Amino acid sequence: PGLRAVVRSPELVALRHLQLRICDAGDKGAQEIADSGVLKRLEVLDLRHGCVTDKGAKALAACPDLPRLKLLDLTHNALTDEGIAALQ
């Protein structure tokens, strides 16, 4: 609920950098980010030290706005080569 409130907030239209480190939102959180439209305006998405798996990586990769990011950091999550390849 907290992540959903942030990424869908009409008050945060200038949000360009979203840092959610050590967050347990995981794949559901990645899907929420992808579905919310926030990637249209973000420049940086930092999800380090989380629990995103290949499923969450694929959800992000499927979002047409992902290439707009200047930096996507999923270091120390649960990605395999398959998830990394989806994001590349």
Side-chain angles (χ1 to χ4, degrees), residues 1 11 15 28 36 39 44-45 49 52 58 63 72 84 87:
E11 306 298 320
L15 182 66
K28 288 182 181 180
S36 71
L39 292 175
V44 174
L45 178 58
H49 302 281
V52 176
K58 289 175 184 177
C63 181
L72 171 63
I84 293 167
L87 291 167

Side-chain angles (χ1 to χ4, degrees), residues 55-69:
K55 182 178 178 181
K58 289 175 184 177
L60 290 170
C63 181
D65 299 312
L66 188 71
R68 297 175 47 85
L69 288 176

